[in-house]
Amino acid sequence: MSYTGPGFDPPRPRRSRRGPLTVALAALVPGALLGWAVYAAVDGPGDGGGPAKASASVSASSGAPSPATASPSGDSGDRKPGASPTATAASPSASAPAASGPLGGKVVVIDPGHNPGNFEHTAEINRQVDIGTNRKACDTTGTATDDGYAEAEFTLDVAHRMRALLEEQGATVKLTQDADRPFGPCVDERARIGNEARADAVVSLHADGSGAGNRGFHVILPGTVDAGAADTRAIVGPSRDLGERIAGNFVRVTGSAPSNYVGGGTGLVTRKDLGGLNLSTVPKVFIECGNMRDSKDAALLTSGAWRQKAAQGISDGIVSFLRG
């Protein structure tokens, strides 16, 4: 997720040297995550530019079955910077036929952050929309790695991989957008898509645009908001459960550590300034899978093999949440 507005210029492509990757490993035992690789937390801005507050420690259940790990697109290698996201025929408003499985009857909405076309529609995405607590831009351009791999391409790729994994478990999966519209949707519409689908879980996919040296993932949980069109009181509890399970499984599958710059080493951050959360009436979280502006995190985010692990970890967390 970019800190910048729609006028943000994408970084000029340059080749970055990939340093050796050091990851923190955590092991899951039945019913609980035994340990976190805890990075030193440094106060810094959240995705909206304000300081983010740390929330409770992450936990995860090991009861979730692991779906197949093959890439749905057959792309198990690295994504080349600037390459197009995997094509798909699914419409964001139409469900794919659900297979029989443990998640039969469950609806999952995946919200790939931003849109590859947002850069060409700055006026439209700068339009202000009501998020309950105040008004914010319809959407933003998102960020990119120094080599030019866009956040919008990353989020679509992971969304496609997650859709295949969750449909194998029997879930009905919807995407809020699939690069099938010129820009957006706006943050209020993204929330509305999940609400109207009566989703059992919604996950908004992002990658951060913080400073170099800031590393790791974090899951953003909705804070308690009751203002204007926003009322999150009924979803705060289940959303936290969803977020904790996703964070724990993300560590287990990817080996990535929680953010070292927000969340106090827990991998969890609570926000009240995001329209996609404020306007949701169903359990919903955001996940920032890593920092695109750090070369070590960028090496992960641009790897097809790692993106498959990210999709697996997030999906396992959703499965664990839906199965209780």
Side-chain angles (χ1 to χ4, degrees), residues 47 116 180 209 296 323:
D47 288 34
D180 51 357
K296 293 179 179 179
R323 298 192 70 185

Side-chain angles (χ1 to χ4, degrees), residues 9-20:
D9 287 331
R12 290 176 292 180
R14 66 176 177 82
R15 301 301 302 175
S16 61
R17 301 175 69 93
R18 293 186 181 180

Side-chain angles (χ1 to χ4, degrees), residues 137-321:
C138 157
D139 202 1
T140 65
T141 56
T143 189
T145 66
D146 289 346
D147 281 341
Y149 182 52
E151 180 184 1
E153 293 182 34
F154 169 82
T155 62
L156 277 171
D157 182 88
V158 175
H160 296 159
R161 296 169 188 268
M162 285 178 59
R163 178 170 59 193
L165 293 167
L166 291 166
E167 285 178 350
E168 286 183 3
Q169 295 291 308
T172 297
V173 181
K174 301 182 180 183
L175 271 60
T176 59
Q177 60 93 11
D178 203 357
D180 51 357
R181 54 191 295 161
F183 64 90
C186 296
V187 294
D188 55 344
E189 184 182 352
R190 289 175 187 266
R192 189 161 56 250
I193 290 169
N195 296 345
E196 292 177 351
R198 297 184 180 180
D200 296 285
V202 184
V203 176
S204 188
L205 303 174
H206 290 272
D208 214 348
S210 187
N214 291 341
R215 296 199 59 197
F217 78 94
H218 61 280
V219 177
I220 304 174
L221 312 174
T224 301
V225 174
D226 181 16
D231 185 354
T232 63
R233 290 173 294 179
I235 68 163
V236 165
S239 295
R240 174 173 290 277
D241 186 18
L242 172 63
E244 289 176 346
R245 291 173 187 262
I246 288 175
N249 280 282
F250 198 83
V251 168
R252 176 179 61 83
V253 178
T254 67
S256 293
S259 169
N260 66 355
Y261 59 101
V262 290
T266 67
L268 299 175
V269 174
T270 299
R271 300 275 296 272
K272 297 181 180 181
D273 63 326
L274 298 175
L277 296 180
N278 286 0
L279 300 175
S280 182
T281 59
V282 294
K284 182 174 182 178
V285 299
F286 282 42
I287 181 168
E288 300 279 0
C289 296
N291 177 20
M292 289 195 133
R293 307 315 295 273
D294 176 83
S295 61
K296 293 179 179 179
D297 269 12
L300 299 176
L301 297 164
T302 55
S303 163
W306 188 88
R307 290 195 301 273
Q308 186 65 28
K309 291 180 180 179
Q312 184 79 63
I314 299 167
S315 298
D316 282 359
I318 294 171
V319 173
S320 174
F321 171 74

